[in-house]
Amino acid sequence: MRVLVCTAKLPPAAALLPLVSTALLTGGAPVARAETSKIFLELRDADSGAARAPHDEVLGQLRLALRAHGVVTEPARLAELPNERLPLDGHWDRSLTWADLTSQIDRGVRSYLRGNFEVATAQLEATLELIRRNPALAIRDAGARHWITRALVSLALTRLRSRDREGALDAMTQQISTFPDRPVRRDDFGDRGEALFREAKDQLERAPRGGLLVEAGEPGARIYVNERERGRGAGLALELAPGRYRVLVAVGELSRVYRVTVHADERARVTVDWRVDAALESSARWIGLRLPGGHADPAMLASLARRLAFHDAIFVGPHAPGYQRGLWGATYERGTGRRLRAGVLSTLASDPGAVRRFAAYLATGSGAEEFEAPARRPTTPRTAPSAPRAAPPDDGDPWLGAIFFGAGLASLGSGAYLAVAMGGAHCTGDRDACAPIAHASTWAIALLTGGAVSLGVATLLFLEDRAPAPSGRAHVHLIPMRAGGIATLGWQF
């Protein structure tokens, strides 16, 4: 079968014809947008150890379903991702010892000395990769500087003898960047080794510089750069040649390694959140967060997601305390730490369809109506409903009671005086003579009645001021008139 391919240079307008043809053939169908790559991290109970979780079988199904959506779930692949801020365990392979590494270095050096350059290159490269993956082993051994130097220089010379001069200079540059105070001499590595060392050092000294800032956040932290201790305490600032570096932060027996690239005239920053990073465990078999009960503070998950450079993070763990037959999952955005979605797989019954749909929801956001969980809101302690606040007691106006009291006494006195004065007067039947007597009697009755009312009002006001405020309230109103007035007393209840 022959395939004929024809090419022709088209003018700018004609260059649009393939695009137009494609649009017409596809019927204007929209082009699917690729989803952002994601990684999967499991949440487990810190006290469970290596015990099998009750939902391990469903988690296995979920991992497979997530892989169908391009989510990275395998520990080996997670460790290889170019995610410079994912904190990995400084001792990745727990079965590996420093004695194993030194014996492998020795075998690689012997292959080089025998002239088996291809075999020596493969052996030394594999051993150095194991050291980079497990830097905590190197910092615990006093002779590590000697063995790493021997491996790097031997690899440089092996590549040089294999006519890979660029690779040889790269290996020697790693040696100088790792141990700048350890020169390569003729007595140890021959003329070729010393000459290659001088060439690499000259190139490195002429190269521009970049900066590295490490913010460990732990007063007792020990900070290593490429297996060499560079400082202790909460922070470190260095000037380095451009290249890839391994920053190891050790606190007690725990250590976490951060891969970082330093560029010329720029400053790379490594920010450590030890509360989160210490909880993130990683090995060749499992990567995830071990937390009390397997439940994470959302702020911890957001902190980890913010440091991911290229991948969103999917976290999956137990639904809630007491609900071991359910799974909770959430997707957090890389760089910002924003929670994109969260959902619950309420049952772990054998339902592969539900597991696949849950994986699709976490990876793409589809099926929100089935799994979406409401955002957690800060809760406040529940308290018994309080009684309605009583209105502040109305102290009233003390002078108002005094006025009523004085007016009442005056009215009673005036009415009594008129009543006494009129007591001895007699009407003889003369209409004109009896009119003043009748008028005076009316005034006496009015004054006596008004005085009694005024004293009653004054008494009520006095009692209201002294007693606790009742649920009701008394109201007194005065309506002035041309001759006297009308006083009203009301009670609200």
Side-chain angles (χ1 to χ4, degrees), residues 79-350:
E80 295 294 337
L81 291 175
N83 238 326
E84 298 177 348
R85 300 298 183 267
L86 186 65
L88 300 176
D89 198 312
H91 191 177
W92 170 267
D93 189 349
R94 292 292 174 177
S95 65
L96 191 66
T97 65
W98 183 247
D100 297 332
L101 295 173
T102 57
S103 64
Q104 293 183 35
I105 293 173
D106 191 59
R107 284 196 295 270
V109 173
R110 290 188 182 190
S111 297
Y112 160 67
L113 294 175
R114 295 191 187 105
N116 297 328
F117 302 130
E118 185 175 348
V119 174
T121 299
Q123 289 175 334
L124 292 171
E125 287 179 347
T127 305
L128 287 168
E129 180 58 31
L130 287 174
I131 294 175
R132 297 185 188 105
R133 185 69 61 80
N134 300 271
L137 291 175
I139 66 173
R140 296 170 187 166
D141 192 278
R145 289 162 58 91
H146 163 75
W147 284 103
I148 294 175
T149 297
R150 193 177 180 192
L152 284 170
V153 177
S154 297
L155 177 61
L157 293 173
T158 300
R159 289 174 174 174
L160 185 64
R161 297 295 293 270
S162 302
R163 302 182 184 278
D164 182 8
R165 190 172 190 82
E166 184 178 350
L169 287 171
D170 179 69
M172 190 63 76
T173 299
Q174 290 181 46
Q175 163 63 25
I176 298 171
S177 299
T178 303
F179 304 119
D181 58 341
R182 194 178 183 90
V184 175
R185 303 188 186 279
R186 181 185 298 108
D187 296 341
D188 298 322
F189 297 98
D191 292 337
R192 283 194 183 91
E194 185 176 36
L196 189 63
F197 169 78
R198 293 183 183 278
E199 182 180 353
K201 186 176 181 181
D202 289 343
Q203 289 184 5
L204 202 58
E205 289 177 347
R206 291 196 301 268
R209 287 291 185 269
L212 173 63
L213 177 63
V214 180
E215 298 172 332
E218 287 289 323
R222 305 185 307 278
I223 304 173
Y224 301 81
V225 179
N226 284 11
E227 294 76 62
R228 178 193 176 201
E229 185 171 351
R230 304 300 297 267
R232 297 193 174 211
L236 173 68
L238 295 174
E239 185 181 87
L240 300 171
R244 295 273 295 174
Y245 293 89
R246 296 172 302 283
V247 176
L248 183 74
V249 177
V251 179
E253 295 298 319
L254 290 179
S255 61
R256 297 292 180 265
V257 62
Y258 308 81
R259 292 168 291 178
V260 59
T261 301
V262 174
H263 299 281
D265 301 322
E266 295 181 8
R267 185 174 67 175
R269 182 189 299 266
V270 176
T271 302
V272 179
D273 186 346
W274 194 249
R275 184 175 70 105
V276 178
D277 298 0
L280 181 68
E281 292 188 7
S282 57
S283 68
R285 300 183 60 186
W286 185 79
I287 295 182
L289 288 158
R290 285 196 181 273
L291 301 159
H295 309 291
D297 179 357
M300 294 180 66
L301 305 183
S303 171
L304 185 57
R306 273 194 297 271
R307 287 177 287 160
L308 298 179
F310 306 107
H311 301 83
D312 294 341
I314 296 177
F315 301 95
V316 175
H319 178 188
Y323 292 88
Q324 295 302 318
R325 299 298 296 173
L327 285 179
W328 172 87
T331 304
Y332 282 76
E333 187 176 45
R334 60 186 173 89
T336 66
R338 182 171 62 94
R339 196 175 84 173
L340 301 176
R341 51 191 164 271
V344 174
L345 182 62
S346 60
T347 177
L348 295 187
S350 181

Side-chain angles (χ1 to χ4, degrees), residues 449-469:
T449 303
V453 171
S454 295
L455 288 176
V457 171
T459 302
L460 287 175
L461 291 176
F462 176 83
L463 294 175
E464 185 182 18
D465 289 341
R466 297 296 182 270

Side-chain angles (χ1 to χ4, degrees), residues 368-391:
E369 62 280 357
E370 181 179 1
F371 301 106
E372 190 169 34
R376 294 182 63 183
R377 298 178 181 176
T379 58
T380 55
R382 294 181 62 119
T383 58
S386 58
R389 292 184 61 184

